Amino acid sequence: MVRMPESRPYHHGDLRAALLRSAERTLREEGAGALSLRALARDVGVSHAAPGRHFKDKQALLDALALEGYERLERALAEAADAGPGLDERMTASAHAYLGFAVAHPALLELMFARKHHPDGSARLAAAADRTLGSLTRMFADAQERGEIVEGDPERIALTAAAGLHGLAALIAGRALDAEEVLAGLDDHVRLVLHGLKPR
């Protein structure tokens, strides 16, 4: 279906957001290979040169999309970390936030973890990834202070938990697992992560 370009004029600051919205839609529906600055300009109804004021090339656009994805995921995880007083509640909410984001935005999540970032944007993306993992790290560090979990490097614990969640996301994206079934059983997954397999 051909999308008609928007006719309203763009004020300062509006065009970048409109380009990112259009780019994310294209990423979701057609994949990163279908993205081009010229096509996005046509989609939002501006001259083909206009996107160049915000993104010097396609990779800069992809980096901006990935950065926005990290910011949204970081906000979701930070909100989930306040879901309750205990680690079980907070970890369960965080797991649902991560998997919910992954199911809703599989192409964006894949882009966020791609390694073909432009040098100008790679430092910002690395910092954004660290902040996103940081919300889990802080949650586990707080749990250690409360005596809820064993001592150890909270970053390593957070990485282990994040790897498990990302693995589920990848299996869902690859259609090896059904998203609804994974989300329905996510509480059990969290209990295994937090309490292990040894008899209690």
Side-chain angles (χ1 to χ4, degrees), residues 22-80:
S22 180
E24 185 173 351
R25 184 170 58 244
T26 301
L27 177 70
R28 181 176 62 250
E29 296 174 358
E30 304 174 50
L35 281 169
S36 77
L37 294 179
R38 184 178 289 269
L40 290 177
R42 188 168 57 248
D43 187 46
V44 300
V46 295
S47 73
H48 68 84
R53 295 198 296 268
H54 299 282
F55 310 108
K56 65 181 180 180
D57 54 26
K58 177 180 174 178
Q59 189 58 56
L61 169 70
L62 293 173
D63 288 351
L65 271 178
L67 184 61
E68 188 173 271
Y70 273 121
E71 290 169 353
R72 283 154 53 186
L73 180 56
E74 180 188 357
R75 287 194 299 270
L77 290 174
E79 184 177 331

Side-chain angles (χ1 to χ4, degrees), residues 28 32 53 68 73 98 113 115 122 134 142 199:
R28 181 176 62 250
R53 295 198 296 268
E68 188 173 271
L73 180 56
Y98 192 97
F113 285 91
R115 288 301 175 199
S122 60
D142 180 60

Side-chain angles (χ1 to χ4, degrees), residues 111-156:
L111 175 66
M112 289 158 57
F113 285 91
R115 288 301 175 199
K116 297 178 181 178
H117 301 302
H118 193 281
D120 293 344
S122 60
R124 287 184 301 150
L125 286 166
D130 287 345
R131 286 194 305 272
T132 301
L133 185 60
S135 64
L136 292 176
T137 302
R138 288 188 297 275
M139 181 176 65
F140 286 118
D142 180 60
Q144 286 175 325
E145 290 181 4
R146 294 167 179 253
E148 293 178 292
I149 59 173
V150 297
E151 293 298 317
D153 183 355
E155 288 189 8
R156 183 173 293 279

